[in-house]
Amino acid sequence: MKSAEIRESFLSFFESKGCRRLPSSSLVPDDPSLLLTSAGMVQFKPVFLGLRDIGTTRAATCQKCARTTDIDIIGTTGRHHSFFEMLGNFSFGDYFKSEACAWAYEYSTKVLGLDPDRLWFSIYEDDDEAEGVWRDEVGVPAERIVRMGAKDNFWSAGPTGPCGPCSELYYDQGADVGCGTPECVPGCDCDRYVEYWNLVFMQFDRQEDGALVPLPKKNIDTGMGLERVAAIMQRVRSNFETDDLRALVEVAEDLSHTRLGQSARSDVSLRILADHARAVTFLIADGVLPSNEGRGYVLRRLLRRAIRHGRLLGVEDPFMVRLVETVIARWGEPYPELVENADLIRRIVLAEEERFRVTLRQGLAYLASAIERTQAAGGSQLDGTEAFTLHDTYGFPYELTSEIAAEAGLAVDSAAFDTQMEAQRARGRAAVKDESWSSFGGAFDGIAREAGTTEFLGYRLDEADSVVVGIVVDGQPVERADAGTSADVVLAATPFYAEQGGQAGDAGTISGDGSLFSVADTRFPVPGLVAHSGQVESGAIALGDKVHVAIDVLRRERIRRNHTATHILHWSLRRILGEHVRQSGSHVAPERLRFDFTHFEALSAEQLRRIEEMANRKVMENHPVRNYETSLVSAREMGVTALFGEKYGEIVRVLEVGNFSKELCGGTHVARSSEIGVIKLIAEGSVGANLRRIEAVTSFDALTYLERVEGELGEAAAALRVGRFEVAERAKAITGRVKELEAALHKAKSQASAFDPSSVPTLDIGYPVAVGRVPPMDASELRGLADVLRSHLGTASAVVLATTDPESGAPLLTASATAAAVARGFDAAAVIHASAPRIKGGGGGRPEMAQAGGKDADGIEAALAEARSLLGAG
């Protein structure tokens, strides 16, 4: 069976068992405690916790997953991946062990056709129930059921919270594959038994004291690695020999003129190219862009690791795009976001690859300098910290650093390098709390479980009657909040829009019988639950109160105008800059809008003018704006633009502006484009690699901005004594004159500094010391010249220089020396202390560098003579 056939057969099989087929969620999880989506259960955490109802108690998915905490292992084995597909079936308080085990066995033997005699089953050491299900209900021979400890067969969300035993399915590849020892059983470190499916029986809630309390509803969470099953079905020993991954390996082989199996070293590089190319493509498609922190750093590291392994294989020219195109071609059907963002993915990968080529050159220069420093100090071993810097900052593999160092006759301190690497891995593991359930048991979770989600009325109403179902003060649920108390109030229904999709949360009031609560912001503390943050202004607000809620309509109107403007701007940007432009974030506030988008260079003034003009033309054409709900599948078929990096459910909300803009958006908007008034761009700049930001204002805020600009222009015209429309011409004239004067000054300084270093007399006092007068220059230029002279004279040398400042004519003295000269007795501070009185001045410093200024330039020669005398060469 091909990988695509396995994926479809799994989902179809569990559909036949009453499970609802759901799409993969994004690699960027909703959970802030997670860096990346690392398992199939991540999107269902709110369901397991009882915080969200998805309309079914049974589900099946093929989830995109990314795990990179041990990235350095990838490539060295045939089974580790940075990106993989996890097949899973889930029960939310519905079926349990009997069905989960029976269906897993049925799918394995009847659909996949695996030989039952090759299947083994592990259970938690105390789980007699699971053993009974496998042995008595499914019919598995008792000798094929292995008991293991908590490390292998007990899943836990954390120190407390949902947990339970698990059962793993293994496939026996045969004695010829294994270690050959009599003790070889499932769980052995050899490759004989391949664990391909894990069934988690989530049935307990672990308490603070360690007690396991049964959950009200028992759940099932399973995970089966598609790549591992494909390897079993296609009878290959490595995941990289399966059909999909093999296609990527073949591209890497073609690029490098190398073959898998040719050598252990090249095999690692070929696997890395295949694995990382797939991960990079999926990450970018889900909205991750290269950066130096968080998910962007993971992406950049994967990209650079792949690029440098390409170079190890001898591939010098940019090559990643060819691998990316293969990923899009083979995975584009089940994951349409790859096709939708194909052009953007290619451009980002190419730009990052070209940027890294520059970084590699810088790394070679850094390494050459490190080798030179080590040799100058008489060392035989390159510092491991230097090697780690090359690895982490410049992307140099340890092997490459060692090879170049060896050519210079140096070893590398591998122990120090390994220490730094392990510290980095520890930081990575600490930053990623896989499958964390950190919010379990919080105040808002409890409200959501008891009261359910908040009904949103804001698409059609600005005010409504509702009921208070939750109050939180300082993170704790309370029954009542009195005047002066800051709190979060949860209502059964609300017209207040909670901050999401870039749109700011609403403000307004909640009023009851003698009470008034002022809402400053509205947010989602947990999915589906709206919290109104603010303060009790008068009276008291209590659970069960019947209240009247009203948004600040004028504030909402400003937000609506700005939000619809972002969609028009997005359309205009794509028309002027190209179809690669994708929204990558926004912030829609009452006073202004901020719009982030993918692009690869700064925008010119002419481009900005055209973007603004085109957007305003659409505003003034007075197009109708409408919202409606449809399925995500239907929206894609209609060609609706999904915003880059956003995550969507099965039912989505579409925003249409006229017949030119059609995008997915859940925000609030104007009824017609002319309500926006005018869009005025006020700033544009970079916010990261391949990412730009535009800021704009609309309506009355645009008018305020234009009034301010007009006022500033008037003040400038008055200061320059010209008319308002002559300011630019006069400013250009003044700027031109300043540049002319700066050029003349620079030329004078250059002429004064242009001389032969050897023209300064040099003394030999066991090491060379240059003592002399040089042409006029300022103090910083004098210090720079001293550095040049020391470099010219050698590793053990010193200089004593005198000059006059070109502007004031005041005398200047400086003395400096290399560390080797100081070690041999040179003291720059002593030299300056003795010489400075000759120019009627004073100064000081350290043995390696000192300087002085004076009042009598006629005493320069006497000062230099004093220095020579002190140095024993008078």
Side-chain angles (χ1 to χ4, degrees):
M1 293 177 71
K2 302 297 184 185
S3 298
E5 295 171 327
I6 296 169
R7 186 189 299 114
E8 178 56 35
S9 72
F10 179 91
L11 296 172
S12 295
F13 175 82
F14 280 99
E15 277 185 312
S16 73
K17 302 300 182 183
C19 293
R20 183 177 173 188
R21 182 193 297 220
L22 295 174
S24 169
S25 64
S26 170
L27 286 171
V28 179
D30 289 321
D31 189 335
S33 69
L34 296 178
L35 190 68
L36 295 165
T37 298
S38 57
M41 54 74 62
V42 169
Q43 68 168 305
F44 298 120
K45 283 173 58 177
V47 185
F48 283 127
L49 293 171
L51 303 177
R52 182 184 299 168
D53 182 358
I54 58 172
T56 183
T57 56
R58 301 181 178 188
T61 65
C62 183
Q63 174 64 48
K64 301 176 291 187
C65 297
R67 293 180 186 172
T68 57
T69 50
D70 292 311
I71 189 174
D72 295 294
I73 296 174
I74 297 165
T76 62
T77 74
R79 293 203 179 95
H80 284 86
H81 299 291
S82 57
F83 172 91
F84 57 95
E85 295 178 79
M86 182 72 80
L87 296 161
N89 59 287
F90 306 88
S91 167
F92 314 115
D94 191 329
Y95 65 84
F96 199 50
K97 290 182 184 178
S98 293
E99 294 88 347
C101 294
W103 294 345
Y105 188 84
E106 181 183 350
Y107 178 75
S108 296
T109 58
K110 302 299 183 184
V111 180
L112 296 182
L114 298 179
D115 183 353
D117 293 337
R118 286 182 175 264
L119 299 183
W120 288 72
F121 308 84
S122 71
I123 59 171
Y124 178 53
E125 55 192 2
D126 294 336
D127 195 356
D128 296 332
E129 181 186 5
E131 181 180 27
V133 170
W134 283 121
R135 184 188 63 233
D136 302 331
E137 297 181 25
V138 180
V140 172
E143 62 272 16
R144 290 190 179 275
I145 303 173
V146 180
R147 290 180 182 257
M148 294 186 182
K151 179 178 180 293
D152 295 296
N153 280 84
F154 194 93
W155 183 86
S156 181
T160 60
C163 59
C166 58
S167 180
E168 295 175 322
L169 280 69
Y170 291 81
Y171 180 76
D172 181 1
Q173 297 194 97
D176 58 318
V177 179
C179 58
T181 64
E183 297 81 18
C184 186
V185 294
C188 181
D189 289 335
C190 74
D191 288 338
R192 176 172 177 174
Y193 298 98
V194 179
E195 183 254 304
Y196 69 94
W197 205 343
N198 186 17
L199 316 178
V200 177
F201 311 128
M202 201 183 302
Q203 62 190 98
F204 299 114
D205 181 6
R206 193 194 301 273
Q207 305 300 299
E208 292 285 352
D209 61 1
L212 297 176
V213 177
L215 288 168
K217 293 183 178 180
K218 298 177 180 180
N219 306 300
I220 291 292
D221 161 26
T222 84
M224 178 166 67
L226 175 58
E227 292 81 3
R228 289 194 178 188
V229 178
I232 293 171
M233 294 303 296
Q234 295 168 26
R235 296 180 175 84
V236 293
R237 299 286 175 84
S238 162
N239 294 354
F240 292 93
E241 297 175 59
T242 59
D243 58 322
D244 278 343
L245 283 170
R246 180 64 207 175
L248 285 168
V249 171
E250 287 174 356
V251 175
E253 288 176 331
D254 184 55
L255 287 165
S256 62
H257 307 294
T258 310
R259 292 291 173 265
L260 197 64
Q262 188 170 313
S263 74
R265 183 173 180 179
S266 62
D267 282 359
V268 169
S269 294
L270 289 170
R271 292 190 197 108
I272 284 172
L273 291 188
D275 174 89
H276 289 11
R278 184 170 64 153
V280 161
T281 306
F282 274 90
L283 283 167
I284 297 174
D286 276 354
V288 180
L289 295 174
S291 70
N292 290 325
E293 59 184 22
R295 301 179 185 98
Y297 176 71
V298 170
L299 171 60
R300 175 163 283 168
R301 191 173 176 209
L302 289 168
L303 259 169
R304 292 188 169 187
R305 192 168 189 249
I307 294 165
R308 74 171 187 253
H309 274 277
R311 290 177 69 92
L312 286 176
L313 291 171
V315 186
E316 296 294 331
D317 294 329
F319 64 89
M320 284 294 294
V321 168
R322 277 194 58 188
L323 288 160
V324 162
E325 287 173 341
T326 303
V327 175
I328 295 169
R330 294 197 71 92
W331 279 270
E333 184 174 346
Y335 303 105
E337 62 271 21
L338 297 178
V339 179
E340 292 171 3
N341 295 297
D343 184 52
L344 179 63
I345 296 168
R346 293 187 195 100
R347 294 189 65 160
I348 288 175
V349 167
L350 180 60
E352 189 69 13
E353 189 165 8
E354 291 174 341
R355 182 177 291 108
F356 185 46
R357 288 164 66 85
V358 175
T359 304
L360 278 174
R361 287 197 294 271
Q362 294 171 341
L364 286 170
Y366 178 92
L367 178 55
S369 176
I371 289 172
E372 185 178 340
R373 288 195 302 271
T374 304
Q375 291 174 329
S380 62
Q381 193 176 57
L382 188 70
D383 189 345
T385 302
E386 303 267 30
F388 177 77
T389 298
L390 282 160
H391 166 84
D392 192 51
T393 304
Y394 298 101
F396 271 48
Y398 176 82
E399 295 78 12
L400 180 59
T401 301
S402 298
E403 184 179 322
I404 296 173
E407 292 173 358
L410 298 176
V412 179
D413 184 353
S414 59
F417 176 82
D418 291 340
T419 299
Q420 294 277 354
M421 283 296 297
E422 183 51 41
Q424 184 190 66
R425 293 190 190 103
R427 289 192 297 271
R429 287 190 289 269
V432 183
K433 303 171 185 176
D434 279 349
E435 302 172 12
S436 168
W437 292 53
S438 58
S439 66
F440 185 74
F444 291 106
D445 295 331
I447 295 171
R449 281 193 293 272
E450 292 180 13
T453 57
T454 308
E455 181 185 1
F456 179 59
L457 310 172
Y459 288 132
R460 55 188 178 84
L461 298 174
D462 294 333
E463 54 184 290
D465 294 324
S466 191
V467 177
V468 177
V469 297
I471 304 173
V472 176
V473 176
D474 295 330
Q476 299 299 317
V478 298
E479 294 187 358
R480 172 189 173 100
D482 295 313
T485 303
S486 295
D488 286 297
V489 175
V490 180
L491 305 173
T494 182
F496 282 70
Y497 186 88
E499 181 178 358
Q500 65 174 333
Q503 180 172 327
D506 276 330
T509 59
I510 300 174
S511 55
D513 186 11
S515 67
L516 177 64
F517 183 85
S518 176
V519 180
D521 192 16
T522 313
R523 60 192 180 90
F524 283 116
V526 296
L529 195 77
V530 176
H532 306 76
S533 303
Q535 181 170 300
V536 182
E537 300 294 344
S538 61
I541 191 165
L543 289 180
D545 281 357
K546 295 181 179 180
V547 293
H548 185 76
V549 291
I551 66 171
D552 182 337
V553 175
L554 293 179
R555 182 177 181 275
R556 166 77 79 83
E557 288 301 330
R558 293 167 70 195
I559 292 173
R560 281 175 172 158
R561 294 177 186 125
N562 285 342
H563 201 162
T564 306
T566 64
H567 289 263
I568 296 175
L569 265 178
H570 192 191
W571 170 84
S572 182
L573 283 162
R574 287 168 65 85
R575 287 290 301 272
I576 300 300
L577 303 180
E579 293 299 308
H580 65 277
V581 168
R582 289 284 190 279
Q583 179 176 339
S584 186
S586 67
H587 179 64
V588 183
E591 65 279 357
R592 68 170 57 195
L593 67 90
R594 187 187 72 217
F595 189 83
D596 296 345
F597 58 98
T598 53
H599 191 54
F600 307 93
E601 59 188 5
L603 275 63
S604 68
E606 175 60 18
Q607 286 175 321
L608 288 169
R609 186 196 65 77
R610 292 173 61 201
I611 290 164
E612 184 178 87
E613 180 184 26
M614 183 172 286
N616 279 297
R617 183 179 296 120
K618 291 301 180 184
V619 167
M620 296 173 192
E621 286 173 358
N622 197 25
H623 292 279
V625 179
R626 70 187 191 104
N627 295 273
Y628 58 89
E629 289 187 345
T630 186
S631 69
L632 181 59
V633 173
S634 296
R636 290 186 187 278
E637 290 174 351
M638 290 188 293
V640 176
T641 301
L643 300 188
F644 182 55
E646 278 291 320
K647 299 176 283 293
Y648 301 101
E650 283 189 280
I651 301 300
V652 293
R653 194 168 179 84
V654 177
L655 175 80
E656 288 185 357
V657 184
N659 59 2
F660 64 92
S661 174
K662 187 183 295 185
E663 297 182 329
L664 299 182
C665 182
T668 60
H669 295 273
V670 299
R672 300 193 72 87
S673 63
S674 61
E675 294 177 34
I676 296 170
V678 66
I679 299 173
K680 182 61 189 173
L681 306 186
I682 60 174
E684 188 276 334
S686 172
V687 288
N690 312 312
L691 196 61
R692 310 294 300 179
R693 171 174 292 170
I694 274 183
E695 293 187 44
V697 287
T698 69
S699 188
F700 291 104
D701 295 291
L703 179 60
T704 300
Y705 174 80
L706 292 172
E707 287 172 346
R708 181 181 172 186
V709 169
E710 189 176 45
E712 294 282 347
L713 181 61
E715 289 183 19
L720 295 172
R721 298 180 180 180
V722 295
R724 291 187 179 186
F725 295 106
E726 297 171 342
V727 168
E729 185 178 347
R730 177 58 63 87
K732 287 178 183 178
I734 293 173
T735 302
R737 179 56 181 158
V738 169
K739 288 182 177 179
E740 288 176 5
L741 293 172
E742 287 176 342
L745 179 61
H746 177 73
K747 182 179 179 181
K749 288 182 177 181
S750 297
Q751 290 173 341
S753 301
F755 73 101
D756 182 1
S758 62
S759 65
V760 180
T762 303
L763 309 176
D764 185 355
I765 58 171
Y767 54 90
V769 182
V771 182
R773 182 169 181 167
V774 296
M777 60 186 69
D778 61 30
S780 63
E781 291 173 318
L782 186 63
R783 290 193 299 271
L785 178 59
D787 292 340
V788 172
L789 281 172
R790 285 201 320 275
S791 175
H792 177 73
L793 293 172
T795 55
S797 62
V799 295
V800 181
L801 301 178
T803 190
T804 54
D805 185 275
E807 294 184 8
S808 67
L812 300 171
L813 291 176
T814 189
S816 61
T818 64
V822 172
R824 295 172 69 171
F826 186 87
D827 187 339
V831 171
I832 291 299
H833 181 73
S835 306
R838 301 292 187 174
I839 59 170
K840 295 182 180 180
R846 305 180 304 280
E848 61 271 20
M849 201 286 286
Q851 56 189 6
K855 300 176 181 178
D856 184 6
D858 292 338
I860 285 179
E861 292 302 331
L864 293 175
E866 188 69 32
R868 294 188 189 97
S869 176
L870 183 66
L871 294 170

